[in-house]
Every structure is written in structure tokens, then in C-alpha cells.
Amino acid sequence: DDVLWCHDLYRFYRSGDEETLALRGVSLRVARGEVVAVVGPSGSGKSTLLACLAGLDEPDGGAVTLGGERVSHRPEAERARIRSRRLGVLLQYGNLVTHLSVRANIQLVQARAKGERPAPDDLLEQVGLRERASALPRELSGGELARAGLAVALSNDPDVLLADEPTGELDGRTEQVVLDLIRARAGDGRGVLLVTHSPAVTGIADRVITLSDGRIAA
Ligand code: ADP
Ligand code: ADP
């Protein structure tokens, strides 16, 4: 019952006669209800892995499924359809369109996703931002921005939430609020995969995977 699965992922980068093997046979799974953290030094392949899992980059070898649907080695239109139904992505530097209000950002994602979607104001209620629905991203504090980003990432009610340093530079208390919300997501029977350097973030994970030089080291 995996919401996210990848098997034997390989990714090469070639620039001139330089070749980098960014991923060398990475296999992992995230089960329903599970939070998995990926850690590793800079250059170990975390960003490449996240992009392949999100269906934003195409691995040179191996396979990825999201919510049971294969996303690797399919045309971009198919990948986009699967992403819009199955996946939420949360990035450190924000996933909001700057000239749209928080509510309009949610509506923008929802316009592309089909099926059941939570009401924007209910999503904002969950992250404690109901009264900030009409605010623009630049009018929000760092903590509010992180919570707005989470509301946007969850606005298609995704099976899988992928997050890259989801709490960035937040202070401890605000970080915990965001982490509790992410943890609750797995409690609702979804899956979460986090890429992070922060011990507070790995603290909410059921499992921690260490990448080293494009391989799973632990
Ligand atoms: P981290 O994920 O650890 O914060 P980054 O993803 O920013 O680190 O970068 C990791 C390494 O990958 C760096 O050495 C960076 O120069 C390299 N890198 C990232 N993107 C590219 C790219 N598009 N072309 C070449 N090198 C890149
Ligand atoms: P991390 O996120 O853990 O820092 P990355 O996935 O960014 O690692 O990078 C893994 C390896 O692939 C590094 O050696 C990096 O320099 C290289 N790399 C990443 N992106 C590119 C790219 N677009 N072109 C060339 N090399 C890249």
C-alpha cells in the first residue's frame, strides 16, 4: 500500500566531457500513513531524487510511481496529469505566485486538479490563516508564508506531499506548528517525503534515509 515508490533510479548529468552520476540505483517506498525523511550532504543527490520523484525530471534508469500510477518514462502531459491529482510540493522559498492572494493561489492549483478538493477557507482554517485569505504573499510573515505554502501544497488533497526544507529558516515555535501540520497529513492516511538538514524535521519522520554519493547509505 505505497503512495510513493521508486526502484533502481539512475540519473546522469553530462556537461562537456564531465559526467556526474547523481543517482546510482536508489530504491525507496513511502507507505500510507508514513513520513520519510531524506538527509545527506550537499551534492549527494537529494534535489535530483526529489525532482525525479515529483515527475519533474526524468530518470535515466528505474521507475517511479505516485499513488500507484507510474510517472516515469511517460509523456509530459501524462506526468502533469498525475502530478496535479496525486502530488503536493512544498519548497523552502515558497510555492506561491507573488501577485495573487493566498486564496487565489489555492484556487489556481485547484483549477488544474480534478475531483474532490477541500474548500480554500477550510484549508486556510487548518493552517490557522483564515483571516489572511486576502493577503498577498509579501504581506505575510515568514511563519505565515510557510503555512500558506503548505495550504497551497495540500489544495489538491494529494496522496503524497514532497517537501524540500519545509521549515527553512523559521524559529523553533513556528517550525513546530508547520511540522505538526505535516505530521497530521500522514495521520490522514497520506504519505510524506521530506528532504532536510534539520534535526527538528527528521524528528517527525518514521524513517530517515541517508543519501551519500547518489546511493542510499543508511
Ligand atoms: P542542497 O540541496 O544540498 O542545498 P544544491 O541542490 O543547492 O544543494 O546544490 C548541490 C550541488 O549541486 C552544488 O554543488 C551545485 O553547484 C550543484 N548543482 C545544482 N544544480 C546544478 C545545475 N543545474 N548545474 C550544475 N550543478 C548544479
Ligand atoms: P543535493 O541536492 O544533495 O545537494 P543534487 O541532486 O543537487 O544534490 O546534486 C547531485 C550531483 O549532481 C552533484 O554532483 C551535482 O553537482 C550534480 N548536478 C545536479 N544537478 C546538475 C545539473 N543540472 N547538471 C550537472 N550536474 C548536476
Side-chain angles (χ1 to χ4, degrees):
D1 200 15
D2 297 336
V3 286
L4 174 64
W5 174 94
C6 75
H7 181 71
D8 211 19
L9 287 187
Y10 278 80
R11 184 73 176 97
F12 311 90
Y13 290 113
R14 203 166 285 111
S15 44
D17 36 292
E18 282 261 327
E19 253 195 39
T20 307
L21 250 172
L23 298 177
R24 316 175 183 228
V26 173
S27 302
L28 62 81
R29 41 180 299 227
V30 179
R32 219 163 262 290
E34 211 179 17
V35 177
V36 174
V38 174
V39 301
S42 194
S44 58
K46 303 181 299 297
S47 309
T48 304
L49 176 62
L50 205 65
C52 288
L53 295 178
L56 295 169
D57 189 13
E58 186 74 291
D60 294 298
V64 178
T65 66
L66 280 177
E69 290 194 86
R70 183 168 54 81
V71 71
S72 52
H73 302 101
R74 299 187 78 169
E76 170 51 26
E78 282 292 292
R79 288 194 268 155
R81 180 187 62 79
I82 296 166
R83 281 198 302 271
S84 70
R85 292 181 45 212
R86 305 284 188 184
L87 182 68
V89 178
L90 183 58
L91 302 172
Q92 180 177 356
Y93 295 108
N95 43 339
L96 282 82
V97 178
T98 54
H99 64 278
L100 294 178
S101 71
V102 175
R103 186 192 284 113
N105 265 278
I106 292 172
Q107 288 165 334
L108 181 67
V109 172
Q110 294 193 332
R112 281 182 256 160
K114 298 201 180 73
E116 281 295 305
R117 293 158 309 181
D121 286 357
D122 290 348
L123 271 169
L124 290 171
E125 178 82 48
Q126 279 171 39
V127 300
L129 282 183
R130 190 162 186 150
E131 71 291 354
R132 304 294 276 144
S134 305
L136 291 171
R138 66 164 177 275
E139 296 166 339
L140 302 177
S141 70
E144 287 176 333
L145 203 52
R147 286 181 284 144
L150 185 59
V152 170
L154 298 180
S155 55
N156 59 342
D157 194 21
D159 292 317
V160 184
L161 176 66
L162 294 179
D164 191 357
E165 295 292 2
T167 56
E169 286 145 27
L170 299 180
D171 65 65
R173 204 166 57 90
T174 315
E175 177 171 55
Q176 200 52 52
V177 169
V178 173
L179 292 178
D180 289 346
L181 289 165
I182 291 175
R183 183 68 241 184
R185 196 62 201 162
D188 285 344
R190 306 318 208 285
V192 179
L193 185 131
L194 305 158
V195 170
T196 188
H197 289 110
S198 158
V201 176
T202 55
I204 68 159
D206 299 299
R207 289 188 290 128
V208 179
I209 291 173
T210 305
L211 268 190
S212 171
D213 210 12
R215 288 181 223 271
I216 292 181

